[in-house]
Amino acid sequence: MATSSSGPNAQPSASHGSISSSALDASTFQRLHPRAYLERFLAEGIRPDGRESEEWRQVSVNVGSISTADGSALVKMGDTTVVCGIKAEIAEPDLDTPNHGWLVPNVDLPAICSPKFKPGPPGEEAQVLSERLNEVLSLAQVVPTTSLCIETGKAAWVLYIDVTCINYDGNPMDATLLAVMAALRNTCLPNAKFDEDTGRTTCSRGGRSPLDIRRVPLCASFGIFDKKCVLSDPSAFEEPLLETSMSVVVDEKGEVVSALQLGLGPKHAPVAGKPLGHDIMASCLRIAKRRRLQLEEAIRQ
């Protein structure tokens, strides 16, 4: 019995125990000393999830997944998952803009998607995302609000764009804007006509028309860690450790719709271990244009 316990059959058990202990130690170290944990990985030219500094997570887009919506899309960016549903309603236009409809975006980060969010009314991060999304849609004039007019001063479409995060693993802006643009492309409105005699708007049951989408802005986000390392597509673990975050929105022509920087970052920093030699924002703009091509391909698939 003694010889069997010290034989070959006993080694896998000991090895398994050693691996489990190492994994436990690494997990504990990550939780207690997250900054040092990230520093050790970056010193080896890799991030905790296995990516390099410039590397982006895999993206998948599934449109038309909500049958009760006029348009919808489900986007997975790594482990960050968001769903967008668009519902169209008819309302009377405002007096000062009688030939305009509305786009009404709203982003929800429920407690179910991450422990960092609490139950209750929308938190600050969700409100900021909603405002940022509304700003991009307005600046880019993605869907001209005049194209949503049914009858001047009488009836116009209101597009309620609701985005819900199902699973949060960082960088919600990129995933949110991608889901919104995919859902808008998937949206078709019934042909509507206003009747002057009855004062009502009727919609045909058969015919539907796609939205008049003029521009397709998509977002690429970055973070700066330790004032010297630029990380593309930050994860939820990396986000709280960043000194600076940047989001760059680019349209299909390569034109910058908006660029937002939060925090004070250096003007020069290495990307993928190589010195840039010029302004960091300019470098992120260039990288964002390349990233947009990947996101556009994901939408088209």
Side-chain angles (χ1 to χ4, degrees):
M1 299 291 291
T3 56
S4 63
S5 63
S6 60
N9 293 333
Q11 291 180 7
S13 176
S15 175
H16 177 73
S18 175
I19 294 173
S20 298
S21 177
S22 299
L24 179 62
D25 291 343
S27 176
T28 302
F29 182 70
Q30 179 184 13
R31 187 175 67 254
L32 297 179
H33 306 285
R35 189 174 187 83
Y37 183 83
L38 181 56
E39 286 174 344
R40 292 189 180 186
F41 272 92
L42 295 179
E44 299 296 328
I46 199 169
R47 294 155 74 174
D49 59 8
R51 291 183 290 155
E52 296 181 354
S53 298
E54 275 192 29
E55 192 173 347
W56 304 83
R57 292 176 290 184
Q58 292 293 319
V59 175
S60 65
V61 180
N62 181 24
V63 298
S65 50
I66 304 178
S67 59
T68 54
D70 294 295
S72 63
L74 175 71
V75 167
K76 292 193 68 176
M77 188 171 290
D79 287 333
T80 293
T81 307
V82 298
V83 61
C84 175
I86 298 178
K87 198 69 176 177
E89 294 185 1
I90 298 175
E92 184 177 337
D94 291 333
L95 292 176
D96 53 346
T97 54
N99 62 333
H100 289 258
W102 299 269
L103 298 176
V104 185
N106 180 68
V107 181
D108 187 21
L109 299 172
I112 194 174
C113 76
S114 170
K116 69 177 289 186
F117 304 118
K118 305 301 179 185
E124 181 180 358
E125 187 168 348
Q127 294 180 45
V128 169
L129 274 174
S130 296
E131 293 171 3
R132 179 82 173 123
L133 179 59
N134 185 54
E135 177 188 2
V136 170
L137 294 175
S138 299
L139 284 174
Q141 295 186 336
V142 173
V143 178
T145 51
T146 52
S147 69
L148 299 176
C149 179
I150 299 172
E151 183 73 22
T152 300
K154 301 296 184 180
W157 288 108
V158 185
L159 300 184
Y160 292 99
I161 306 172
D162 293 313
V163 183
T164 301
C165 182
I166 300 174
N167 191 67
Y168 185 95
D169 189 27
N171 196 9
M173 182 60 193
D174 290 15
T176 293
L177 186 54
L178 181 61
V180 169
M181 292 312 305
L184 285 172
R185 281 184 166 184
N186 179 245
T187 299
C188 288
L189 300 179
N191 298 324
K193 185 176 181 180
F194 182 80
D195 190 325
E196 289 284 356
D197 296 331
T198 62
R200 294 183 178 181
T201 303
T202 56
C203 298
S204 63
R205 294 185 177 181
R208 281 180 168 262
S209 303
L211 296 176
D212 180 17
I213 298 177
R214 300 291 178 88
R215 297 175 78 185
V216 184
L218 297 173
C219 186
S221 296
F222 309 83
I224 298 178
F225 175 75
D226 200 24
K227 298 182 180 179
K228 62 184 180 182
C229 189
V230 178
L231 305 177
S232 300
D233 188 14
S235 67
F237 169 70
E238 295 165 342
E239 281 182 337
L241 305 175
L242 303 174
E243 291 95 8
T244 306
S245 62
M246 281 177 281
S247 293
V248 182
V249 180
V250 183
D251 70 6
E252 65 278 8
K253 295 181 181 179
E255 297 178 356
V256 177
V257 176
S258 69
L260 177 67
Q261 176 176 323
L262 299 176
L264 298 176
K267 291 187 177 180
H268 301 275
V271 175
K274 298 179 181 179
L276 293 178
H278 46 75
D279 187 78
I280 186 175
M281 178 60 82
S283 301
C284 289
L285 291 176
R286 187 174 62 253
I287 298 171
K289 291 179 181 181
R290 294 201 303 264
R291 172 58 170 172
R292 196 206 172 281
L293 297 177
Q294 300 174 358
L295 297 177
E296 176 70 23
E297 185 179 351
I299 290 184
R300 293 189 182 280
Q301 289 178 348

